Structures are given as C-alpha cells and as structure tokens.
C-alpha cells in the first residue's frame, strides 16, 4: 500500500517548549487516520507542520512521496485542511465560497463543475448553495468548511477537530459525511473524542505531551493494555505517560 | 490569477457590507452638504470703514471660513473619505486573520504578494469611485451655491493625482489590520481618522495656525495629501509639486512597510 505520510523524528519547538517531540508515523493512502489526544498533546501542531502552516524544527516528513522541506509548493496543491475554527467567507454564498477556493488552487473549469455537483450531492449542500454562508448554522458552516477543503481535489485532507463545538446530531451527521469521503481521499483527523476515532478511524495514534505513545486500530490499542473499552485503554496509555 | 480571485472575493465582501456604503460613500457626501450649509449660514464679517482691524487678524478670519468654500472642501473631503477606505481595509484584514480564514489561505499555494494585491485592488477601485462621486457632488453644489462650475480640466487632472493618497491609506489599512485584531481595529482606526482630519487641515486652515502647528503637520503625510489636491483643483501646479512628492514618498514607505509586516506576520503566525 502506498504511503500518504511518512514522518521520521518530526519535532517542533517554541522557545524552550517542545510541542512535538521526535514523532515517527506512517499513514497509508486511502485510510482514515486519527490523531487522538488531550488538549496540548501536539495534534494541531503536527497538522500545521504537515500543511505548511508551521516549519518543523527538526526531522523529516514526506507527503505523497514529496519532501516537506523542499517540495512544499507541490505538496500544497495535493493537500487541504479544514481548520479547528470554521474558515469561510461570511458574505459569500456557499457556492461562491467553493468557487473562490477552487480558483485559488487553480482548479480547471470543467473539473470544477463536476466537483461542485458531486459536493452539492454528497454533502447535501445543494439546498443552501445560494445562501450567504454567515447565515448557516454551525453544523452547516463546518460542512462547508470541509467542502472547501474537498473542492480542490486533494489526495490528502486534514480535519482538525472537525466536530468541536457541534451538538450531538450535527456530530453524527458529520461522521456520516467523513465515512462517505473515505473512498475518495486519505483523511487525517484530530480529535479528543474517543467515540469519534472509534467510529471513524482505521488507524489511531495516541499523542500526549508531543509524543506518539501508541499506534494501531481500536482493537489493537485495547488489547495492548488489556482493556475492554477504548476510553480505558486511552487512560491507561496516557496515564502511563504521566507517571 | 490567484490575486484576482482573492480580489474578487474581497470586493464582493465589501460591496455586500451595507456599512461600507454608509461610511465610504454616504458620510463624505453628507459632510460635503452639511459643511456647505454651515458655511453659507455663517455671517460674513463686515468691517466698517475706518475701524483699525489688524491685517493679520482679518486674514486669519477669512482663512478660517475659506476652507469651507466648496472648491476647498471637495478635495479635502475626498481625502477624508479615504480614511474610511483605510478603516474598511483594516477591518477586512483583521477579520480574516481573526476568523482563521487567512490560515486556510496560508495553507494554499498563495504568496504574500498575491495577498497584498488582493487586498489593495478592491479598495483602490472603491476609493476611485468614492473620489469621483465626491467631485461630482462638489461640482453640483458649486453650481447651486456659487452659480459656477469647477474648472473641468483641473478637476479631471486632480483625479489621477489621488493615487499616492489612495495607496497610502490602503497601506495604512493593511498595516493596522495586520497588527490589530478585529475588536481593536475599529477603535484604533477611528482615533486615527480623527487625528488625520485634524492634522490634515480638512476642517481648518493649518497655514493660518502658526509656524509650530504647520511644522508638526508637515512631519505627517495628511497635511500634504490635502494640500496638493486643493492646489490641483485650483490650478496651482507650482504649489502642489512639493506636497505631492512628500505624499508619494510617504505612500511608498507605508505601503512597502505594510507589505513587509504582512509577510512577516504571516510567517510568525506559522
């Protein structure tokens, strides 16, 4: 299986604070990969480095076979991100937001029309396509934010805490959409919701204090510490780090 | 191409904000009309013959009301209108930064220069429209109040001469928008607008206020930006050379500084 991401000793420091500490990870193409951890674990910093938003202090990273340091401009065309905060242009309509971001990435017109149709259909945004995005509810805005990441046709998409601040129904709706995306794109998802990674992710990396403590699917992680639930396994793994 | 896409988004955001019409177009026109009405209601001093009024005091009184004459007021209000362009540019940049919209774009293939062009062009277009509308309104008021037209040749010549001032105020907008968050930006810009109006001599004749005040105002660009467009409309080409050169120098320095600050902040945000 091809590798979407390969990290070797990736590190990020801010002054004397080490936010991400020599992490090694591999993400295979086509999977939903979850970065799980409490606040301050280093999940968002890792994503920021892999999307060119932050420069690594040390280590190597390959995205779709391209070197993060030397090929960042090429990588940016293959990757997109939906940030923690909903990042949309409030006075533009849903469709205008999508056309805008496609224009920034230079998506060809014929591809754009097909992708718009696909996104309106799969994310059910068609019914609100003429609505100003600032008038949408939080759940719909988050859906648009993800759609804006998809319209550019990325091979790899980062969803940084995509369900943060959403109510239970909106979260479940979003899960359904993320599952739909699986066949189309490799997804790296950060969250601190255990049920979310269990429901969505093929592989989970547990992070704490900038370290990757364990990697595997939900069953493997539970088995590794002889626990029946992912929550107990997570507490055991992260608690072990605290000791 | 990317900068044009970004420019298109910014101009849509600006034109869909009702407040931009109120402040960028409505307020300058209202000021023009109100100041003209106030000026026409001020009784002109009648000095009886033989009364010994010092010549200096008499000239000062005349200068105080001269700035409210429509041919002096129109170019000054056009410059004043640009301070609101600065305000909206600042709010646009700071809102994008605060809302994480720029974070999304930082992750895209966009470069710093494309951001700067994308922010500058829409506001330059709106500023151009604002100046033309202010001059047309000034011309109409001049015809109604004074029964005479501006010199059309001088008026047409004045319009492109606004370019340095437009660049300077957009540069200031990007500068403050990069430094401030969306909560602080409107307050700081409002204080700046008031200071620019006072130090630029929009409502008063700086030259009649003494050498000390002129020296202070000459150190800043606003006095020069108002002075040269007044000279241009009056056809005083000799008088506008130095102010336009000073204003152009300020515009270049401010614009380059704002672009560098934006690029630096974009890296620092990373």
């Amino acid at each position: 299986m091809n590798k979407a991401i390969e990290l070797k000793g990736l590190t990020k420091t801010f002054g004397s604070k080490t936010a991400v500490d020599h992490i090694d990870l591999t993400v295979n193409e086509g999977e939903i990969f979850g970065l799980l951890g409490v606040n301050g674990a280093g999940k968002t910093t890792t994503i920021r480095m892999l999307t060119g938003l932050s420069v690594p202090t040390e280590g190597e990273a390959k995205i779709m076979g391209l070197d993060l340091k030397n090929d960042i401009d090429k990588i940016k065309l293959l990757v997109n991100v939906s940030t923690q905060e909903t990042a949309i242009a409030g006075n533009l309509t849903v469709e205008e937001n999508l056309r805008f971001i496609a224009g920034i990435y230079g998506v060809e017109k014929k591809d754009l029309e097909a992708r718009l149709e696909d996104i309106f259909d799969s994310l059910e945004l068609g019914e609100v396509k003429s609505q100003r995005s600032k008038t949408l509810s939080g759940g719909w805005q988050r859906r648009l934010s993800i759609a804006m990441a998809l319209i550019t046709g990325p091979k790899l998409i980062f969803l940084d805490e995509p369900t943060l601040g959403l109510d239970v129904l909106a979260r479940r709706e979003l899960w359904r959409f993320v599952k739909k995306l699986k066949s189309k794109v490799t997804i790296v998802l950060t969250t601190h919701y255990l049920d979310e990674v269990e429901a969505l992710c093929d592989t989970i990396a547990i992070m704490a204090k900038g370290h990757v403590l364990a990697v595997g699917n939900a069953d493997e992680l539970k088995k590794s510490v002889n626990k029946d639930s992912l929550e107990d396994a997570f507490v055991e793994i992260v608690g072990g780090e605290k000791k | 191409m990317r900068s044009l896409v970004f420019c298109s988004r910014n101009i849509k955001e600006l034109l869909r904000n009702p407040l931009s019409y109120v402040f960028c177009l409505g307020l300058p026109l209202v000021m023009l009309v109100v100041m003209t009405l106030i000026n026409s209601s001020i009784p002109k001093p009648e000095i009886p013959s033989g009364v010994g009024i010092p010549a200096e005091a008499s000239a000062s009184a005349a200068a105080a009301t001269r700035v409210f004459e429509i041919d002096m007021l129109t170019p000054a209000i056009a410059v004043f209108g640009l301070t609101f362009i600065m305000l909206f540019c600042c709010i646009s940049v700071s809102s994008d930064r605060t809302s994480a919209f720029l974070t999304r774009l930082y992750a895209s293939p966009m470069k710093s220069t494309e951001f700067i062009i994308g922010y500058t062009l829409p506001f330059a277009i709106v500023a151009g429209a604002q100046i033309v509308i202010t001059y047309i309104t000034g011309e109409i008021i001049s015809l109604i109040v004074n029964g005479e037209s501006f010199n059309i040749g001088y008026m047409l010549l004045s319009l492109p001469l606004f370019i340095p001032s437009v660049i300077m105020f957009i540069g200031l907008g990007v500068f403050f928008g990069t430094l401030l968050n969306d909560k602080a930006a409107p307050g700081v810009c409002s204080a700046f607008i008031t200071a620019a109006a006072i130090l630029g001599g929009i409502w008063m004749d700086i030259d009649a206020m003494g050498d000390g005040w002129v020296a202070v105002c000459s150190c800043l660009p606003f006095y020069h930006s108002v002075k040269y467009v007044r000279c241009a409309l009056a056809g005083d080409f000799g008088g506008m050379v130095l102010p336009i050169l000073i204003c152009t120098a300020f515009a270049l320095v401010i614009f380059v500084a704002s672009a560098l600050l934006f690029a630096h902040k974009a890296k620092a945000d990373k």
Side-chain angles (χ1 to χ4, degrees), chain B residues 146-171:
Chain B
N146 300 333
E148 60 183 33
S149 165
F150 291 152
N151 182 309
I152 300 298
Y154 295 157
M155 193 167 83
L156 292 175
L157 177 74
S158 298
L159 299 178
L161 294 179
F162 272 93
I163 290 171
S165 296
V166 169
I167 289 172
M168 180 179 75
F169 280 105
I170 292 174

Side-chain angles (χ1 to χ4, degrees), chain A residues 12 48 51-55 73 76-77 80-83 85-93 96-97 100-101 103-105 132 144-146 148-149, chain B residues 1-3 5-10 12-18 96 98-111 266-270:
Chain A
K12 180 72 184 179
R48 287 179 65 83
T51 51
L53 288 169
S54 180
V55 181
D73 289 340
K76 281 183 170 185
L77 289 168
N80 213 321
V81 60
S82 176
T83 56
E85 305 90 356
T86 306
I88 56 175
N91 273 325
L92 300 193
T93 65
E96 284 170 341
N97 264 291
F100 162 69
I101 209 77
I104 293 293
Y105 280 79
R132 295 255 178 107
L144 171 60
S145 195
I146 294 172
M148 286 169 74
Chain B
M1 186 60 195
R2 279 193 289 259
S3 48
V5 174
F6 190 48
C7 172
S8 157
R9 172 263 168 175
N10 287 337
K12 278 180 192 159
E13 289 265 2
L14 184 64
L15 295 178
R16 288 175 187 179
N17 181 356
D96 283 350
T98 312
S99 71
F101 188 74
L102 275 189
T103 306
R104 178 188 281 284
L105 296 181
Y106 288 153
S108 79
M110 275 188 82
K111 308 281 181 219
K267 270 187 191 164
D269 286 346
K270 295 177 182 181

Side-chain angles (χ1 to χ4, degrees), chain A:
Chain A
M1 192 175 274
N2 290 333
K3 288 165 185 167
I5 300 175
E6 278 183 277
L7 308 183
K8 282 183 191 161
L10 196 71
T11 302
K12 180 72 184 179
T13 58
F14 298 100
S16 59
K17 188 181 183 309
T18 304
V20 175
D21 196 357
H22 296 89
I23 62 170
D24 298 325
L25 273 180
T26 301
V27 178
N28 293 317
E29 272 187 39
E31 72 176 347
I32 302 183
F33 189 94
L35 283 176
L36 178 67
V38 293
N39 291 332
K43 311 183 296 290
T44 297
T45 306
T46 303
I47 283 197
R48 287 179 65 83
M49 285 191 281
L50 300 182
T51 51
L53 288 169
S54 180
V55 181
T57 312
E58 207 180 303
E60 287 176 24
K62 285 198 170 181
I63 312 276
M64 296 295 173
L66 297 165
D67 183 67
L68 186 65
K69 271 183 202 158
N70 301 319
D71 302 316
I72 187 64
D73 289 340
K74 287 179 193 163
I75 289 172
K76 281 183 170 185
L77 289 168
L78 300 175
V79 170
N80 213 321
V81 60
S82 176
T83 56
Q84 257 179 43
E85 305 90 356
T86 306
I88 56 175
N91 273 325
L92 300 193
T93 65
V94 167
E95 184 171 349
E96 284 170 341
N97 264 291
L98 293 168
R99 286 186 184 277
F100 162 69
I101 209 77
I104 293 293
Y105 280 79
V107 177
E108 300 223 355
K109 202 166 186 245
K110 61 178 171 55
D111 292 338
L112 174 61
E113 298 307 323
R115 282 183 203 166
L116 275 174
E117 206 154 304
D118 184 34
I119 280 175
F120 285 152
D121 184 43
S122 60
L123 293 183
E124 296 167 17
L125 282 164
E127 60 191 90
V128 292
K129 68 178 181 181
S130 304
Q131 204 172 318
R132 295 255 178 107
S133 56
K134 68 180 177 188
T135 65
L136 299 171
S137 68
W140 280 97
Q141 286 189 351
R142 196 59 63 88
R143 203 182 294 190
L144 171 60
S145 195
I146 294 172
M148 286 169 74
L150 287 171
I151 193 76
T152 63
K155 292 195 179 303
L156 170 64
I157 184 169
F158 294 94
L159 304 178
D160 193 7
E161 311 229 6
T163 60
L164 190 73
L166 297 187
D167 62 42
V168 176
L169 293 178
R171 280 184 72 206
R172 288 298 171 98
E173 273 292 287
L174 214 57
W175 287 7
R176 197 165 59 81
F177 297 130
V178 172
K179 279 180 186 165
K180 270 192 195 176
L181 296 176
K182 192 183 168 185
S183 57
K184 300 175 184 173
V185 59
T186 306
I187 299 171
V188 175
L189 176 149
T190 76
T191 183
H192 50 251
Y193 297 125
L194 294 149
D195 54 346
E196 195 157 288
V197 283
E198 200 159 18
L200 296 175
C201 298
D202 303 305
T203 309
I204 302 162
I206 294 180
M207 288 187 75
K209 294 180 181 173
H211 296 277
V212 173
L213 304 179
V215 182
N217 63 35
D219 289 335
E220 287 167 349
L221 291 173
K222 285 185 252 181
K223 203 183 273 181
S224 69
V225 284
N226 293 321
K227 299 290 179 187
D228 293 329
S229 73
L230 186 60
E231 185 174 334
D232 288 339
F234 176 76
V235 170
E236 179 68 25
I237 292 166
V238 175
E241 162 76 2
K242 280 181 181 168
K243 288 166 202 168

Side-chain angles (χ1 to χ4, degrees), chain B residues 33-100:
Chain B
V33 173
V34 169
M35 290 299 166
T36 304
L37 289 174
I38 291 172
N39 186 45
S40 60
S41 66
I42 295 172
K44 301 289 177 282
E46 288 177 16
I47 303 165
S49 59
V51 175
I53 306 271
E56 223 173 72
S58 176
S60 174
T65 55
R66 177 74 185 100
V67 292
F68 293 112
E69 297 289 338
I70 194 67
D71 61 319
M72 293 283 274
L73 201 55
T74 302
I77 293 279
V79 172
F80 183 59
L82 296 180
T83 61
F84 291 99
I85 296 289
M86 174 197 74
L87 170 71
F88 277 84
C89 182
C90 172
I91 291 173
S92 179
V93 176
S94 63
S95 301
D96 283 350
R97 286 181 49 243
T98 312
S99 71

Side-chain angles (χ1 to χ4, degrees), chain B:
Chain B
M1 186 60 195
R2 279 193 289 259
S3 48
L4 291 181
V5 174
F6 190 48
C7 172
S8 157
R9 172 263 168 175
N10 287 337
I11 206 156
K12 278 180 192 159
E13 289 265 2
L14 184 64
L15 295 178
R16 288 175 187 179
N17 181 356
L19 285 177
S20 63
Y21 292 95
V22 174
F23 285 97
C24 292
L25 288 179
L27 195 65
L29 299 187
V30 169
M31 299 289 257
L32 207 54
V33 173
V34 169
M35 290 299 166
T36 304
L37 289 174
I38 291 172
N39 186 45
S40 60
S41 66
I42 295 172
K44 301 289 177 282
E46 288 177 16
I47 303 165
S49 59
V51 175
I53 306 271
E56 223 173 72
S58 176
S60 174
T65 55
R66 177 74 185 100
V67 292
F68 293 112
E69 297 289 338
I70 194 67
D71 61 319
M72 293 283 274
L73 201 55
T74 302
I77 293 279
V79 172
F80 183 59
L82 296 180
T83 61
F84 291 99
I85 296 289
M86 174 197 74
L87 170 71
F88 277 84
C89 182
C90 172
I91 291 173
S92 179
V93 176
S94 63
S95 301
D96 283 350
R97 286 181 49 243
T98 312
S99 71
F101 188 74
L102 275 189
T103 306
R104 178 188 281 284
L105 296 181
Y106 288 153
S108 79
M110 275 188 82
K111 308 281 181 219
S112 286
T113 48
E114 291 168 332
F115 281 106
I116 295 296
I117 294 168
Y119 279 123
T120 303
L121 273 181
F123 288 99
I125 291 166
V126 173
Q130 183 193 59
I131 292 163
V132 169
I133 291 169
T134 304
Y135 267 62
I136 290 170
T137 309
E139 168 73 4
I140 293 167
I141 292 173
S142 180
L143 285 169
I144 294 168
V145 175
N146 300 333
E148 60 183 33
S149 165
F150 291 152
N151 182 309
I152 300 298
Y154 295 157
M155 193 167 83
L156 292 175
L157 177 74
S158 298
L159 299 178
L161 294 179
F162 272 93
I163 290 171
S165 296
V166 169
I167 289 172
M168 180 179 75
F169 280 105
I170 292 174
L172 285 167
V174 173
F175 188 86
F176 287 127
T178 307
L179 279 184
L180 305 169
N181 64 34
D182 61 340
K183 301 279 188 296
V188 171
C189 282
S190 300
F192 196 85
I193 288 169
T194 307
I198 293 169
L199 298 168
I202 288 166
W203 317 122
M204 64 191 86
D205 183 16
I206 300 286
D207 294 330
M209 294 177 73
D211 291 343
W213 193 242
V214 171
V216 170
C217 294
S218 296
C219 295
L220 297 164
F222 316 114
Y223 168 71
H224 304 288
S225 61
V226 172
K227 189 168 185 178
Y228 83 75
V229 286
R230 276 179 172 155
C231 287
L233 189 60
D236 176 8
F237 302 119
M240 77 180 191
V241 173
L242 187 60
I244 201 171
L245 287 176
I246 294 171
C247 187
T248 303
F250 268 110
L252 290 174
V253 169
I254 290 169
F255 194 79
V256 169
S258 69
L260 291 175
L261 179 71
F262 185 90
H264 172 75
K265 193 77 178 159
K267 270 187 191 164
D269 286 346
K270 295 177 182 181

